[in-house]
Amino acid sequence: MKRLAPFALLAAALLTTTAVASPDVVASIKPVHSLVAAVMAGVGEPALIVKGSASPHTYALKPSDAGALEAADIVFWTGHGMELFLGDALETLATGATVVELADTPGITLLPVREGGAFEAHAHESEDHDHEDHDHDHADHDHDHADHDHAHDHDHDAHGEGDMHFWLDPENAKLMVTRIATTLAEADPGNASAYQSNAEAELVRLDELEAELAATLGPVAGKPFIVFHDAYQYFEARFGLTLAGSVTVTPDVMPGAARIDALKAKVAELGATCVFAEPNFEPTIIAAITEGSAAKSGVLDPEGGALEAGADLYPNLLRGLATSLVDCLQ
Ligand SMILES: [Zn+2]
């Protein structure tokens, strides 16, 4: 019995080492989760907060999410301005975690929010917009919370008014992949070489994807279209696309009658354009806008609500956007 003891101790030590080998990693939304999953391939799987068809813009944290955040070693999110459900929770729940705000990634392109939803800002539009803003502020006040206001002020200082859909530029995704790999390697040096080689493979895959999409989208560059929410400017800028307008700037603020009328006028002016809905947002509004016009309609899924989570979601998401645009506009 005594002679077995050292082996038992060694076995216990090995088991312990195995059990702590891969850190508990949480990703906020599907596009971020996809890039983290690619870097962690063969080592572990990140948890995802906004699952299924839920929208990052309207999500409310669940008790199971709170548990995942409390247990997390590392949390990856885009940052204040997108996952509004997460700002306070990270401070109160993810107290033991390294929190990585990907909007802060060095070199990343952050574009300002387009307040008018890509319309030229003339007097009538900005009037309309002020009205929407007022409604939004009012809703915030109903929610009260001095803390919330404070968090808001803080992130304005940190980032200004950035459009947080920055993953839709594959060049930004490449910078995110590198930062994710560096963060994981620091937290988990035993698997650093795996993270590094996964990241290198993902960077090659993203370069190939970008070249493929540039070829796919070339024929529709410059053809105007209208989208449900103003999520696409990184994709437009990268691939030379031309947005004519959006139904709403953000899905938590629904359009007023004046904006719907302006969109109908825009559609009439453009003729055979495309108006794109999203998987879970207001197809009835899209129908109202295209009614009686030559415009066609399609669906774009900028946050991957209709896609299966995992390492392949990111390329599938970008390919899906390109296919929908070409199918409708060409
Ligand atoms: Zn969005």
Side-chain angles (χ1 to χ4, degrees):
M1 292 292 268
K2 272 181 187 172
R3 269 181 291 166
L4 285 177
F7 295 101
L9 282 173
L10 181 61
L14 285 172
L15 278 172
T16 307
T17 307
T18 307
V20 298
S22 118
D24 282 322
V25 179
V26 175
S28 56
I29 62 175
K30 281 177 165 180
V32 170
H33 175 267
S34 177
L35 299 175
V36 176
V39 176
M40 291 184 73
V43 179
E45 287 185 9
L48 169 63
I49 294 187
V50 184
K51 294 185 263 297
S53 63
S55 165
H57 293 284
T58 53
Y59 191 73
L61 212 63
K62 294 175 181 156
S64 57
D65 302 326
L69 289 172
E70 281 172 346
D73 297 309
I74 306 172
V75 179
F76 292 104
W77 69 316
T78 65
H80 300 92
M82 170 60 69
E83 303 104 325
L84 300 177
F85 55 89
L86 207 48
D88 292 345
L90 287 175
E91 285 177 27
T92 57
L93 297 172
T95 50
T98 299
V99 176
V100 178
E101 187 169 351
L102 291 165
D104 286 344
T105 301
I108 211 160
T109 302
L110 263 195
L111 302 170
V113 171
R114 292 189 293 203
E115 297 290 337
F119 285 120
E120 339 54 290
H122 47 78
H124 183 72
E125 283 303 325
S126 49
E127 230 171 75
D128 201 29
H129 172 72
D130 286 347
H131 181 65
E132 285 174 15
D133 250 14
H134 177 75
D135 286 346
H136 191 248
D137 289 347
H138 187 65
D140 269 358
H141 279 282
D142 286 347
H143 272 295
D144 76 271
H145 277 304
D147 278 1
H148 180 77
D149 288 344
H150 176 71
H152 236 79
D153 290 342
H154 177 72
D155 78 72
H156 282 197
D157 290 345
H159 306 297
E161 297 276 341
D163 178 340
M164 298 299 278
H165 300 88
F166 54 83
W167 65 83
L168 289 179
D169 180 349
E171 290 298 318
N172 279 347
K174 284 162 62 181
L175 294 165
M176 292 160 73
V177 163
T178 300
R179 177 137 184 236
I180 289 163
T182 305
T183 306
L184 288 167
E186 274 172 18
D188 179 18
N191 287 307
S193 62
Y195 299 133
Q196 186 61 34
S197 62
N198 284 341
E200 283 167 13
E202 184 68 4
L203 294 179
V204 170
R205 181 157 84 145
L206 291 173
D207 274 334
E208 289 168 357
L209 177 69
E210 187 177 329
E212 173 198 321
L213 295 181
T216 306
L217 288 164
V220 300
K223 292 192 177 180
F225 59 98
I226 291 168
V227 298
F228 179 72
H229 91 285
D230 194 19
Y232 306 92
Q233 62 171 323
Y234 293 94
F235 199 72
E236 297 158 40
R238 178 58 55 197
F239 297 109
L241 304 172
T242 306
L243 185 67
S246 63
V247 175
T248 176
V249 175
T250 173
D252 55 357
V253 183
M254 281 297 123
R259 194 176 180 99
I260 297 288
D261 286 347
L263 283 162
K264 290 182 92 157
K266 180 66 92 175
V267 167
E269 176 196 324
L270 293 172
T273 183
C274 286
V275 183
F276 291 96
E278 287 178 26
N280 51 0
F281 284 118
E282 298 290 333
T284 52
I285 292 180
I286 304 297
I289 291 166
T290 56
E291 188 188 3
S293 78
K296 291 183 282 182
S297 61
V299 176
L300 295 176
D301 186 11
E303 281 133 15
L307 298 174
E308 191 184 337
D312 288 338
L313 178 136
Y314 184 83
N316 288 340
L317 190 160
L318 264 61
R319 278 199 189 96
L321 296 180
T323 303
S324 295
L325 285 162
V326 169
D327 284 351
C328 195
L329 289 168
Q330 203 169 24

